[in-house]
């Protein structure tokens, strides 16, 4: 948090981790307590904390939202990674979480539960962000099979066009 503040970074990404053999309720309570304590400190520095939907105790939207809604700090939100929900309805989960996003990482692929990876519907992802009135940064996190040197410029061009469109 201190380094982010010195650098002028508006946000720090946070990972909740995996259950360490305790019940989900215990793990969630510990996560909430830690986020509240760290959120208070981050707020004093003007830095948001973004709990990323990155497996473990936040692998699904319901668990992530339970934690975020319980945290009593306006400085804690979600670092929304569009490729990290592997549920039956990743787009629905992203839409449910988008109102709490403090940062968004767009991936070019999405994988629903029981299905193979497929190209992400970038116009749909941008629409989800617009519907949530998201105002923060959007980054491209590329992990596809195609060479990054050719894929990234193409995806950035499309993403910029979509984000600028009204």
């Amino acid at each position: 948090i201190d380094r982010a503040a010195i650098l002028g970074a508006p946000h720090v990404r946070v990972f909740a981790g995996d259950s360490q053999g305790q019940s989900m309720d215990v793990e969630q309570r510990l996560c909430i307590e830690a986020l509240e304590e760290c959120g208070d400190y981050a707020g004093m520095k003007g830095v948001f904390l973004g709990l990323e939907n990155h497996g473990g105790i936040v692998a699904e939207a319901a668990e992530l939202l339970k934690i975020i809604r319980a945290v009593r700090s306006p400085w804690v939100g979600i670092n929304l990674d569009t490729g990290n929900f592997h549920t039956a309805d990743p787009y629905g989960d992203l839409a449910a979480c988008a109102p709490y996003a403090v940062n968004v990482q767009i991936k070019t692929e999405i994988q629903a539960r029981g299905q193979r990876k497929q190209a992400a519907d970038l116009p749909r992802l941008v629409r989800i962000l617009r519907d949530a009135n998201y105002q923060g940064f959007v980054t491209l996190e590329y992990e596809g099979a195609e060479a990054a040197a050719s894929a990234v410029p193409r995806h950035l061009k499309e993403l910029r066009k979509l984000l600028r469109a009204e």
Side-chain angles (χ1 to χ4, degrees), residues 57 68 88:
I57 66 170
I68 290 300

Side-chain angles (χ1 to χ4, degrees), residues 75-88:
W75 293 95
V76 177
I78 295 174
N79 186 81
L80 192 59
D81 187 317
T82 67
N84 282 357
F85 282 133
H86 304 293
T87 58

Side-chain angles (χ1 to χ4, degrees), residues 15-29:
F15 295 99
D18 292 322
S19 173
Q20 299 297 310
Q22 300 181 69
S23 72
M24 180 66 88
D25 287 340
V26 169
E27 292 294 331
Q28 289 172 337
R29 181 180 49 76

Side-chain angles (χ1 to χ4, degrees), residues 95 98-101 126-136:
Y100 302 92
V126 170
R127 208 167 31 255
I128 287 169
L129 298 178
R130 287 194 194 289
D131 289 347
N133 198 32
Y134 177 70
Q135 301 293 311

Side-chain angles (χ1 to χ4, degrees), residues 1-75:
I1 293 168
D2 290 334
R3 289 185 176 129
I6 290 167
L7 293 170
H11 150 265
V12 172
R13 179 170 67 160
V14 177
F15 295 99
D18 292 322
S19 173
Q20 299 297 310
Q22 300 181 69
S23 72
M24 180 66 88
D25 287 340
V26 169
E27 292 294 331
Q28 289 172 337
R29 181 180 49 76
L30 292 172
C31 184
I32 291 163
E33 290 172 3
L35 286 170
E36 285 181 342
E37 180 179 342
C38 294
D40 288 345
Y41 184 75
M44 289 188 294
K45 301 290 184 168
V47 175
F48 287 96
L49 301 180
L51 180 59
E52 184 164 332
N53 57 315
H54 191 92
I57 66 170
V58 292
E60 298 200 8
E63 284 80 18
L64 175 59
L65 290 169
K66 180 179 179 182
I67 292 168
I68 290 300
R69 289 174 178 150
V71 172
R72 294 179 308 258
S73 173
W75 293 95

